[in-house]
Amino acid sequence: MQYESAEGQSAPLHTYEQAVEWINGLIPFGIRPGLERIEKLMELLEHPHRRLKFVHVAGTNGKGSTCAFLTNVLINCGYDVGTFTSPYITKFTNRFQYNNEDIPEETLLKLSNRLYPLVQQIAATELGSPTMFEVSTALAILYYAHECYPDVVVWETGLGGRMDVTNIVNPVVSVITNVGYDHTDILGDTLEQIAGEKAGIIKPGVPVVTSVDQPEVIQVMAARAEQCRSRMYLAGRDYTAVRTGGDEVSQSFHFQGIFREMDIQIGMQGEHQCANAGLAMMTLEVLRQYMAFVLDDEPLLEGFRHTFWAGRLETVQSNPRIVLDGAHNPEGAASLVKSIPQTYKYNKLHILAGMLENKQHEPVFRHLLSIADTLILTEPDFRRKMPAEHLLELVQRLQQEMGRTDVQVIVEKDWKQAIQLLQSQTEREDLGVVTGTLYLISDVRATLLHQTDSEKGW
C-alpha cells in the first residue's frame, strides 16, 4: 500500500511507531522558547487553530489535574472536548484526547505524514527545525480542527506561557493554577520573573481565572490583566474552595463564587486537589455566565466526582499499600507532605524517590525528610537522571541540618530493584509512596499495574 501525504508526495512514515519515532527524533532540537516556527507551520496549514475554542491552562503545578476536572465536567454536561496535555504517563497518544479517548494510531500516522514535508521545509530555512513539542502541538491542532471537531479544547501549556508554543491560540478563557520554582533555567529564578512568563497567556479582553496566592505573583498577574483589559478572577477574593472532609476514597470542599456556591465531592486526593477543582469550577462558572455553556448541577457534580488523573496521589497497590505522586518540585513536595497524613492512616512511611538533574532538589528533600521513616533513592530510566549518589550526599547533609538522622536512607540505583525493596519494607499497617519525576512514576506505574504498552515520555 502506498501512503500519500496531504501535499501529494509519497509519505515517508508507514506505521504509528515510525511516526512517534520521527516526532521523538526531534527532541535533540531541544526546548526553544519562541513562536516563529509554530506560526510558520500554522500559516502553511492555513491557520486551523482559529476555528477552535480553547481553555488555555498554565501554572507550575496542578495543570494536568485542572485540565482533567475541566474535561470531565464538560463531557459529563454534554460537550465534546479535546484535551492536549503533557507529559504522558503511559502512551504517546495520551497527549491528544477527544472525550477522554486517545487519538487513534492511524490518525496520528496520517497527520504526521501531513506535517512531515512542512517540517522539512521549515528546517531548511533560517528558522531551523521545529522541535518535538512544536510538531506535537501542530498535530493536536490538526486533530481537533480537521478530524474530530470538539466544542472546546482544554489546552495545557508545555513550559511557562509567554513564549510557549501553545500560546499561539487565542482562548475563550485563560487559567493559571499557581507559580513556583520550576524550570528556573528557562523561566527565571525569581517568582516575579516566572509569574511574568506564566502571565503571558493572558490575552486582550479574555478573562483569566487563577489560584496564585503569593502577593508579588498576584501583583504581576493583576498588572498583566489590567494591561490586557481582562477580568481576573482570583482565589480568595472572587471565589473560595475550602476542604470540608475526606477519607482514602474521596474528599469534599465548599465552593463559594461570585455567582453561586455549592458543596463538591472529588475522588482525587490532597488538599491541593480541592484548590485545583475550585479553580476548574470558577473557570466553568465563567464559561456558564459569559459564554452560554449549559452546565446543570447534577452532571457537573458527577463530573467532578469521577475525575481521575494518573500519578497524582494514586493508590496502585493495596497489599502492601503503594501510592504514586509525581511531586518533582518544591511546591509539589510540600503538597504531598501535607496531604499524606491528612489522607492516609499508617504506622510507618516509606518513600522511594528519583529525580532529574535540572530540578531544585534541596527543598524537595527537606519536605520528604520531614515526614519519612525510610527514604529509598533511585534513578529514573531517563537520559537526564540525577545520580542517586549525588542525592545521597544531599540527603545526608540535610539529615544533619534537620536532626533527622533517624530516617533510614537506602540507595538502590536500579528502579526495578528499588520497587521490590519498597514493597518488602512496607508492612501491612505502613504506607509506601513513590515520588519524584514523572518519568519514574510512569515506569513504576506500568510495572505495578502490569501495563505492557507503556511508552512514557515528555
Side-chain angles (χ1 to χ4, degrees):
M1 179 176 177
Q2 184 64 32
Y3 293 81
E4 293 291 321
S5 72
E7 282 64 34
Q9 302 162 328
S10 176
L13 307 167
H14 292 200
T15 65
Y16 160 75
E17 290 76 18
Q18 283 181 359
V20 173
E21 190 180 343
W22 169 61
I23 297 170
N24 282 333
L26 299 169
I27 286 176
F29 292 106
I31 297 167
R32 291 187 289 161
L35 301 178
E36 306 86 1
R37 288 171 299 279
I38 191 72
E39 282 170 350
K40 186 64 181 173
L41 262 176
M42 290 300 102
E43 181 190 321
L44 293 170
L45 292 163
E46 299 182 345
H47 307 287
H49 58 299
R50 294 178 183 170
R51 306 177 194 175
L52 299 164
K53 281 193 182 79
F54 293 91
V55 175
H56 199 182
V57 182
T60 300
N61 292 311
K63 294 191 296 294
S65 300
T66 302
C67 287
F69 284 123
L70 288 167
T71 296
N72 237 47
V73 172
L74 287 166
I75 291 172
N76 223 51
C77 289
Y79 290 93
D80 290 324
V81 184
T83 313
F84 178 61
T85 55
S86 59
Y88 56 92
I89 290 285
T90 306
K91 204 167 163 32
F92 187 79
T93 51
N94 296 165
R95 297 168 171 280
F96 320 91
Q97 294 200 331
Y98 175 69
N99 290 342
N100 280 334
E101 295 286 330
D102 285 12
I103 185 174
E105 290 184 3
E106 61 273 19
T107 306
L108 186 139
L109 173 62
K110 179 175 84 171
L111 296 176
S112 296
N113 273 318
R114 184 162 181 203
L115 287 168
Y116 188 93
L118 306 181
V119 170
Q120 302 297 101
Q121 185 180 328
I122 294 168
T125 71
E126 69 281 356
L127 290 173
S129 175
T131 66
M132 179 275 289
F133 191 65
E134 288 165 350
V135 173
S136 298
T137 302
L139 197 149
I141 288 169
L142 279 181
Y143 180 48
Y144 300 130
H146 288 297
E147 299 290 331
C148 56
Y149 318 107
D151 299 309
V152 64
V153 179
V154 177
W155 190 244
E156 184 190 344
T157 55
L159 195 158
R162 182 178 67 92
M163 300 297 283
D164 187 71
V165 186
T166 62
N167 207 27
I168 190 158
V169 308
N170 202 55
V172 294
V173 59
S174 303
V175 183
I176 300 171
T177 58
N178 51 38
V179 171
Y181 292 101
D182 202 3
H183 301 293
T184 50
D185 51 332
I186 294 171
L187 303 180
D189 51 15
T190 70
L191 284 179
E192 289 91 341
Q193 286 175 322
I194 298 169
E197 293 299 317
K198 308 277 186 200
I201 72 162
I202 302 173
K203 301 286 188 355
V206 176
V208 56
V209 188
T210 182
S211 50
V212 297
D213 57 2
Q214 307 98 320
E216 65 272 39
V217 172
I218 294 171
Q219 198 174 352
V220 171
M221 296 293 166
R224 171 69 181 172
E226 188 178 349
Q227 179 192 351
C228 291
R229 297 190 176 180
S230 302
R231 172 71 198 272
M232 182 169 87
Y233 298 89
L234 177 64
R237 183 189 72 190
D238 301 304
Y239 77 93
T240 54
V242 179
R243 187 179 190 269
T244 52
D247 53 31
E248 291 195 21
V249 177
S250 66
Q251 57 178 337
S252 54
F253 68 95
H254 183 73
F255 174 84
Q256 170 87 54
I258 54 178
F259 306 118
R260 60 175 169 169
E261 61 181 298
M262 59 171 53
D263 291 304
I264 297 174
Q265 187 182 44
I266 58 175
M268 293 177 68
Q269 296 294 358
E271 194 171 23
H272 56 292
Q273 294 297 3
C274 292
N276 292 331
L279 176 66
M281 179 63 192
M282 189 65 232
T283 304
L284 293 162
E285 286 288 85
V286 170
L287 293 175
R288 186 175 74 97
Q289 287 293 323
Y290 299 126
M291 282 142 223
F293 276 62
V294 178
L295 305 169
D296 294 332
D297 288 7
E298 199 174 316
L300 179 141
L301 290 170
E302 189 186 339
F304 273 111
R305 235 183 347 261
H306 294 136
T307 296
F308 165 76
W309 193 239
R312 277 70 172 180
L313 278 175
E314 178 189 6
T315 302
V316 289
Q317 194 173 293
S318 54
N319 187 23
R321 271 189 311 166
I322 305 290
V323 170
L324 307 183
D325 191 77
H328 58 276
N329 55 35
E331 290 74 23
S335 293
L336 174 64
V337 165
K338 185 176 183 182
S339 299
I340 287 173
Q342 199 177 55
T343 307
Y344 307 97
K345 291 183 173 62
Y346 54 86
N347 180 22
K348 288 190 170 181
L349 176 65
H350 311 285
I351 297 178
L352 166 62
M355 303 289 284
L356 297 189
E357 61 189 8
N358 65 335
K359 297 296 176 181
Q360 291 198 307
H361 304 108
E362 184 166 324
V364 168
F365 282 96
R366 276 190 189 279
H367 288 302
L368 299 183
L369 281 170
S370 71
I371 197 173
D373 292 290
T374 307
L375 183 58
I376 303 168
L377 304 173
T378 193
E379 296 177 0
D381 178 19
F382 192 67
R383 63 187 184 281
R384 291 188 286 115
K385 64 190 176 189
M386 180 73 170
E389 311 89 71
H390 294 184
L391 288 180
L392 177 63
E393 290 172 19
L394 169 66
V395 166
Q396 287 175 333
R397 175 169 63 76
L398 290 176
Q399 280 185 290
Q400 295 297 329
E401 284 179 23
M402 297 169 65
R404 289 305 320 264
T405 50
D406 56 320
V407 179
Q408 182 188 17
V409 180
I410 305 167
V411 170
E412 176 47 74
K413 294 169 71 164
D414 184 324
W415 64 268
K416 290 180 182 174
Q417 296 291 327
I419 299 174
Q420 292 179 8
L421 186 56
L422 178 69
Q423 289 171 317
S424 66
Q425 292 264 344
T426 307
E427 298 182 0
R428 179 184 283 275
E429 302 299 321
D430 295 349
L431 180 67
V433 174
V434 183
T435 191
T437 174
L438 285 168
Y439 295 105
L440 175 66
I441 299 298
S442 173
D443 278 333
V444 172
R445 189 173 188 273
T447 300
L448 295 181
L449 296 180
H450 309 291
Q451 293 174 331
T452 54
D453 62 347
S454 178
E455 297 170 3
K456 71 146 184 194
W458 197 81

